[in-house]
Amino acid sequence: MKTTLKTEITVDEICKGFVYNEYEGKGLFGLSGKLTIQPEYQRNYIYADGKRDVAVIESVLKGYPLGLIYFTKVAEDKFEVLDGQQRITSLGRFVTNKLVIKGSNGIPCYFEGLAADLQNKILQTKLLIYECEGTESEIKEWFKTINIAGVPLNEQELSNAIHSGPFVTMAKAEFSNSQNANIQKWSAFVAGNVNRQDYLRTALEWVSKGHIDEYMSLHRYDTDIRELQTYFNTVIEWARSIFRNVEKEMCGLEWGRLYEQYHATAYNPQTVSEQVKKLYSDPYVKNRKGIFEYVLGGCTDGKLLDIRVFDEATKQTVYRKQTADAGAHNVSNCPLCALGSDANKTRIWKLNEMDADHITAWSKGGATDIANCQMLCKTHNRAKGNR
């Protein structure tokens, strides 16, 4: 890859023809139309938080260096930003009065409100820019190594770079757009940050059954993302139709996997609602995130709930009572062994050879208290299961 250092390009030149799309959160063009600020393989603009974007402007005003910026030469007199789009977009937003900072008197101030000498200082600031020329694979390999302002590229941002094309462009417009009216509905089920591609990654995770890069590679040049949209929305609507009440623990669950596993099963939303409500009020349920799969699976897998187990004091108390009763009747202290006819019928098991068991299974309403506790030998406890 060939690189050429440019030291005379000013902020004013960079910001000529600057276009910023508020709807998509993108810095689109600059350098009088010669520069594409956010090519499709780039991450979204994530500096728009009133801190990092303002810090860029304050750095320029204080004369601090902004660091190296890298452009890719894609044609004669045509460039793309390889590294620096967050800084350039912040500068462009400020110069075009889309970003406000605090002036020296602490009063909010747009670019047009700055003193003329400060405006000029910003516009005449020279940037250190490397122009890079190389193959697509060379450019993207370099892009993957970039660490911008301490915010490394995450997995999906890297995948977007590797598989850039019309599919990524359209997918980002749908799932990485913070202005999308569906985001609020989706946020009940999807965790993460829209601008950091978390919603897009979730959609791809679901439709590809976990094979994201293979799916993106296969569809890289597609000009239609309906499969991705349809599958994602199908999963969301399926979950919404079964669970009437939105709970915070729903967010971030593996809804794609749950859909594949359970969507062919019929559910009564009213019954489901009652089951969820009962489980939320049960003090012995330690893992509320597991409630939803537990209900979908027919309320049989108690491990999903991390049900509170009997404490040691309860086990010892029940063990002593069962052992004393067994000695008085010359039978095993395991109630199920005592019912048998083999050598274990009269065997007295040690405490460490036994497990605490719910007499009435927890999933069938049995409480985790001493009145519902019995000690069984490990063999019988495993065999008893959920009966």
Side-chain angles (χ1 to χ4, degrees):
M1 185 169 68
K2 178 184 175 182
T3 59
T4 305
L5 181 62
K6 302 289 185 178
T7 61
E8 299 301 316
I9 299 175
T10 64
V11 170
D12 185 34
E13 290 175 285
I14 287 289
C15 293
K16 274 188 167 60
F18 177 79
V19 176
Y20 180 72
N21 187 316
E22 294 282 359
Y23 183 72
E24 295 183 13
K26 290 183 179 181
L28 298 177
F29 304 106
L31 204 61
S32 300
K34 299 175 185 178
L35 177 68
T36 300
I37 296 173
Q38 191 180 82
E40 57 195 18
Y41 58 80
Q42 283 274 18
R43 74 167 98 222
N44 281 26
Y45 179 57
I46 62 173
Y47 272 23
D49 57 6
K51 295 179 181 178
R52 288 174 291 186
D53 48 3
V54 170
V56 171
I57 309 307
E58 290 178 343
S59 294
V60 174
L61 287 170
K62 293 175 181 177
Y64 298 162
L66 288 182
L68 287 172
I69 291 172
Y70 293 85
F71 291 173
T72 303
K73 187 174 183 179
V74 294
E76 190 61 36
D77 225 19
K78 289 288 183 181
F79 304 91
E80 292 179 347
V81 175
L82 181 64
D83 180 22
Q85 67 112 339
Q86 304 289 331
R87 288 165 283 171
I88 290 173
T89 304
S90 297
L91 289 166
R93 289 179 67 231
F94 185 64
V95 169
T96 55
N97 297 301
K98 294 180 176 66
L99 170 62
V100 63
I101 67 171
K102 285 188 178 180
S104 57
N105 55 7
I107 298 174
C109 180
Y110 286 95
F111 179 78
E112 64 183 11
L114 281 180
D117 61 314
L118 295 180
Q119 290 184 0
N120 190 62
K121 181 175 184 178
I122 290 176
L123 294 175
Q124 296 309 311
T125 293
K126 295 178 180 179
L127 303 173
L128 292 176
I129 299 171
Y130 270 111
E131 289 182 5
C132 307
E133 295 181 68
T135 64
E136 179 185 20
S137 59
E138 287 176 329
I139 295 299
K140 288 183 177 177
E141 184 61 32
W142 172 236
F143 177 77
K144 285 165 60 177
T145 69
I146 294 171
N147 187 323
I148 303 173
V151 184
L153 298 171
N154 62 30
E155 283 188 279
Q156 190 55 47
E157 289 166 339
L158 287 173
S159 293
N160 290 349
I162 294 167
H163 306 293
S164 63
F167 181 83
V168 166
T169 299
M170 290 186 294
K172 286 175 66 178
E174 175 73 7
F175 295 101
S176 303
N177 180 358
S178 60
Q179 301 302 311
N180 188 325
N182 290 313
I183 294 296
Q184 185 173 1
K185 176 176 70 175
W186 296 345
S187 66
F189 302 93
V190 181
N193 186 302
V194 174
N195 287 334
R196 292 306 305 273
Q197 313 300 318
D198 295 324
Y199 281 56
L200 174 55
R201 189 161 191 83
T202 297
L204 289 165
E205 172 81 27
W206 291 356
V207 75
S208 70
K209 313 302 185 292
H211 302 289
I212 293 176
D213 282 295
E214 290 91 333
Y215 186 88
M216 293 181 73
S217 178
L218 179 65
H219 295 279
R220 179 175 181 180
Y221 298 107
D222 287 4
T223 57
D224 188 329
I225 64 166
R226 277 179 292 183
E227 180 183 63
L228 179 65
Q229 292 171 308
T230 299
Y231 192 88
F232 180 81
N233 286 312
T234 297
V235 173
I236 294 289
E237 293 308 316
W238 171 78
R240 279 163 52 89
S241 70
I242 294 171
F243 298 100
R244 290 179 173 176
N245 301 317
V246 174
E247 305 290 351
K248 64 180 181 179
E249 287 81 7
M250 289 179 171
C251 185
L253 295 182
E254 296 177 315
W255 289 108
R257 176 183 64 80
L258 296 176
Y259 171 78
E260 287 294 322
Q261 190 169 348
Y262 298 109
H263 76 272
T265 304
Y267 298 95
N268 182 328
Q270 180 60 38
T271 301
V272 168
S273 180
E274 292 169 358
Q275 290 171 326
V276 171
K277 184 177 180 180
K278 179 180 178 182
L279 291 165
Y280 260 78
S281 64
D282 192 320
Y284 296 107
V285 174
K286 296 173 69 177
N287 180 26
R288 287 186 167 181
K289 276 190 170 291
I291 286 175
F292 309 98
E293 185 170 359
Y294 177 77
V295 170
L296 290 171
C299 299
T300 58
D301 189 358
K303 295 190 295 295
L304 290 166
L305 305 176
D306 193 15
I307 302 165
R308 187 176 300 171
V309 297
F310 295 104
D311 58 35
E312 289 303 316
T314 297
K315 288 192 244 183
Q316 290 179 15
T317 299
V318 173
Y319 174 81
R320 286 195 296 269
K321 183 179 185 305
Q322 283 183 202
T323 302
D325 290 345
H329 296 89
N330 195 31
V331 294
S332 174
N333 59 349
C334 169
L336 298 185
C337 286
L339 297 175
S341 57
D342 58 16
N344 288 335
K345 180 178 178 65
T346 58
R347 178 171 176 173
I348 301 299
W349 300 88
K350 296 177 182 177
L351 177 60
N352 63 7
E353 297 173 321
M354 305 184 83
D355 289 326
D357 172 66
H358 289 77
I359 298 171
T360 299
W362 183 92
S363 63
K364 297 180 179 179
T368 307
D369 58 33
I370 195 166
N372 192 43
C373 178
Q374 64 179 347
M375 300 298 293
L376 299 180
C377 69
K378 293 183 182 294
T379 300
H380 274 119
N381 186 58
R382 294 192 190 102
K384 181 173 182 284
N386 205 39
R387 290 176 290 169

